Amino acid sequence: MVSSKHMNRHIPFSSHREYRFYQGLLAIGVANGIQALNFLGDRFLRKSHASGGIDELYRHSVNSAFSPKEAFLVTGAPHASAYYPRDFAWFYPDVLDPETIMGSEDAVRRVRLLEKGVRLLVEAVRANVVTTTIVPAGGDRYIGVNYFSLPSDTLLGILAGLEQIVRADQRASPFLAMSQGAHAGRLLLAEYREDLKNAIFQLAEALEPFEDGGVAALLCDVTAPRSAATDTRAERRRFVTNACVYATFVRGIRLGVIDRIELEGLLGRELSQYKTELLGLFGKPGYVRHALDLRSEPAASCIALDFVNVHQGFWDLSEAGERALFAATTDLILGEPRFRIPDTSHFLVSVDNPQNKMIHKIAAPAYQGRSCWPTFNVEFADRMLDYDECSGTDKYRSCARDILRDIRSATETHGGYQELLSEKGQKYRTWAYQSADAHSWFPRFLSVWRRAFGTSLLDGS
């Protein structure tokens, strides 16, 4: 983009360190205190970036998200000082796309941050700390916290981050950092393969059979909720949590962490059958239900935008039946005015809002309901492009482009790639989220923009 010079120096990756992880009631109390201080510091110390053109905003975002001063990728939101393993799948799925890198120094920073972050997360797996959140507690000490329930997507995120590094050199790139990063990723994979394998098989063993109206499948959340990126209601039997588990298995096989035959023996069925059963259970009415406990009408009230899952996740759209189910769910969202910010192609997470508790008004966003995640809109657009490509049609490309254009407009209006938008299209501003931008989510937007339009969003690229 800005520079295509090679990095000729060796990247000093992090050496093996003795991380210490803590869990339990006392540790959670300490983590809550640390997080409260983080939010207060962000509220009173963060300065907003002035509005500008898309090139300037992107350059500022890249420098913020991939700063060499950071120990991890940061979102640009108040919770950035904690680590969220699932983010590599949901929100940082393509950080090493060469088309989004600003130059050789930017490439080095991204590769180093990914390697450092993934090493920390696989160390947590080795310590049997598979949580939704890891809070730094000084030095090399970290606290593992599940704020709502056990995770469904933490291992998926870790595998997605590891896969990014391992495959960093498989796309044409002028940056030597990519091949160096790929080598570091392969070393990580070899070192932690057994730990990841054991964790994935523990997840597989936790699946339980569930039947609804004669249709049965294995679920991860039959009796107790498991959290995923949009969960603040601690619901059971959700599509996206179970789709994340399937995607975890697929990535584990693709990376060579687990053996397909061994996994299928544990599941008691082929992986393809496991997925078919999930689609049959959640897609029984002809569209994908957000959760099996939701039976309200109209149909649009039973679905949520997070059905698009994650990049290289649940949907591969290779089967006609799967494409039909995806299209039916997509059409319900496109046709329901309550899913849209008026006069835009910004889509809200759902048509209904959960009960907003005091913490949602002061500190944390209400992830579900009538708020808009631009990053989910980007993935919605990308799945639409997947559909058109797999079906040989041009059904959704114009809608995908409209989504991306509106995200660009909002980014320039609000002075940065926003984390959330309100149902009226304003930047989401709780008391603690006064200046929250989504710096590290910006590159994924550029990747999908190029796919949709065939050209880069930025000048000089």
Side-chain angles (χ1 to χ4, degrees):
M1 295 179 66
V2 170
S3 171
S4 60
K5 294 186 293 182
H6 289 268
M7 266 318 282
N8 295 315
R9 60 182 175 83
H10 177 71
I11 301 176
F13 291 110
S14 54
S15 59
H16 188 82
R17 295 156 66 177
E18 292 295 326
Y19 297 110
R20 297 183 65 181
F21 297 92
Y22 302 88
Q23 291 182 293
L25 291 177
L26 178 60
I28 290 174
V30 173
N32 288 339
I34 292 172
Q35 286 287 71
L37 290 175
N38 290 339
F39 272 81
L40 288 171
D42 184 274
R43 174 63 178 81
F44 293 109
L45 299 178
R46 180 190 293 273
K47 296 180 179 179
S48 297
H49 182 68
S51 299
I54 201 75
D55 292 71
E56 178 190 348
L57 293 172
Y58 185 70
R59 186 176 295 105
H60 167 75
S61 293
V62 165
N63 290 336
S64 298
F66 310 122
S67 169
K69 298 178 182 179
E70 298 290 349
F72 199 76
L73 292 174
V74 296
T75 62
H79 54 252
S81 50
Y83 304 164
Y84 301 88
R86 65 195 186 195
D87 283 0
F88 284 117
W90 283 99
F91 304 128
Y92 316 141
D94 211 6
V95 169
L96 298 185
D97 177 1
E99 297 285 352
T100 72
I101 294 175
M102 299 294 291
S104 55
E105 290 291 345
D106 184 27
V108 170
R109 291 181 303 179
R110 295 193 194 194
V111 168
R112 287 188 66 186
L113 281 171
L114 276 172
E115 191 275 341
K116 288 167 65 177
V118 171
R119 178 176 289 277
L120 170 66
L121 298 179
V122 291
E123 278 285 334
V125 171
R126 175 168 287 180
N128 200 30
V129 179
V130 181
T131 61
T132 62
T133 311
I134 297 177
V135 179
D140 289 329
R141 294 175 171 82
Y142 299 88
I143 300 171
V145 183
N146 288 315
Y147 282 113
F148 297 102
S149 57
L150 292 173
S152 71
D153 50 2
T154 286
L155 288 172
L156 172 61
I158 294 171
L159 292 173
L162 182 57
E163 188 173 19
Q164 278 200 64
I165 306 174
V166 168
R167 301 190 173 185
D169 59 351
Q170 293 188 7
R171 287 188 288 194
S173 169
F175 308 117
L176 183 60
M178 296 302 173
S179 60
Q180 295 180 357
H183 177 69
R186 288 189 284 269
L187 293 177
L188 279 175
L189 178 57
E191 183 177 355
Y192 294 96
R193 189 188 308 272
E194 285 301 311
D195 303 287
L196 291 167
K197 175 182 176 180
N198 292 336
I200 294 171
F201 280 163
Q202 286 176 18
L203 179 61
E205 290 169 348
L207 301 181
E208 300 176 75
F210 179 80
E211 182 176 327
D212 180 37
V215 182
L218 291 176
L219 302 185
C220 69
D221 54 352
V222 171
T223 55
R226 296 186 77 109
S227 66
T230 56
D231 180 29
T232 57
R233 290 187 275 191
E235 294 173 304
R236 296 179 304 163
R237 304 165 191 169
R238 295 176 68 220
F239 172 75
V240 69
T241 56
N242 288 282
C244 283
V245 174
Y246 171 84
T248 300
F249 296 154
V250 170
R251 281 194 183 268
I253 293 168
R254 193 163 62 208
L255 270 174
V257 172
I258 56 176
D259 177 75
R260 175 186 290 271
I261 302 300
E262 191 176 359
L263 172 67
E264 291 178 341
L266 191 60
L267 296 176
R269 59 200 17 90
E270 292 184 352
L271 197 59
S272 59
Q273 180 185 346
Y274 168 59
K275 178 177 179 178
T276 298
E277 290 172 350
L278 287 176
L279 287 173
L281 189 61
F282 286 95
K284 187 178 178 182
Y287 54 85
V288 178
R289 291 177 287 180
H290 165 69
L292 297 179
D293 295 335
L294 292 176
R295 302 180 185 277
S296 59
E297 295 293 339
S301 299
C302 300
I303 61 178
L305 185 61
D306 61 7
F307 92 99
V308 297
N309 201 19
V310 295
H311 177 53
Q312 297 183 16
F314 185 86
W315 299 100
D316 62 27
L317 301 171
S318 59
E319 299 290 334
E322 183 176 323
R323 289 196 298 272
L325 197 57
F326 174 88
T329 314
T330 296
D331 291 344
L332 280 171
I333 292 174
L334 297 181
E336 172 54 66
R338 289 179 296 166
F339 262 110
R340 290 182 190 246
I341 294 173
D343 302 318
T344 74
S345 289
H346 279 301
F347 293 93
L348 308 175
V349 175
S350 74
V351 300
D352 299 310
N353 216 18
Q355 180 180 0
N356 278 323
K357 299 179 180 179
M358 187 60 69
I359 191 172
H360 295 138
K361 298 176 181 178
I362 296 175
Y367 290 104
Q368 293 192 24
R370 297 191 59 76
S371 57
C372 170
W373 285 77
T375 190
F376 289 168
N377 277 256
V378 169
E379 293 308 316
F380 193 26
D382 201 45
R383 294 299 82 71
M384 290 179 179
L385 298 174
D386 287 341
Y387 178 93
D388 282 3
E389 184 176 294
C390 292
S391 64
T393 64
D394 199 29
K395 181 175 182 178
Y396 292 122
R397 179 172 296 275
S398 62
C399 183
R401 287 178 170 177
D402 288 343
I403 290 171
L404 299 173
R405 289 189 188 100
D406 280 348
I407 291 175
R408 172 185 180 169
S409 176
T411 300
E412 293 182 317
T413 299
H414 298 301
Y417 192 96
Q418 56 290 315
E419 180 175 17
L420 288 166
L421 290 175
S422 73
E423 64 177 296
K424 296 182 179 179
Q426 299 302 309
K427 190 173 180 179
Y428 188 96
R429 294 182 187 273
T430 59
W431 182 85
Y433 268 65
Q434 289 298 300
S435 304
D437 293 320
H439 298 317
S440 46
W441 306 353
F442 210 154
R444 175 65 179 152
F445 171 54
L446 261 63
S447 298
V448 179
W449 180 283
R450 176 177 282 276
R451 182 184 184 191
F453 292 96
T455 58
S456 173
L457 174 63
L458 307 183
D459 294 332
S461 56

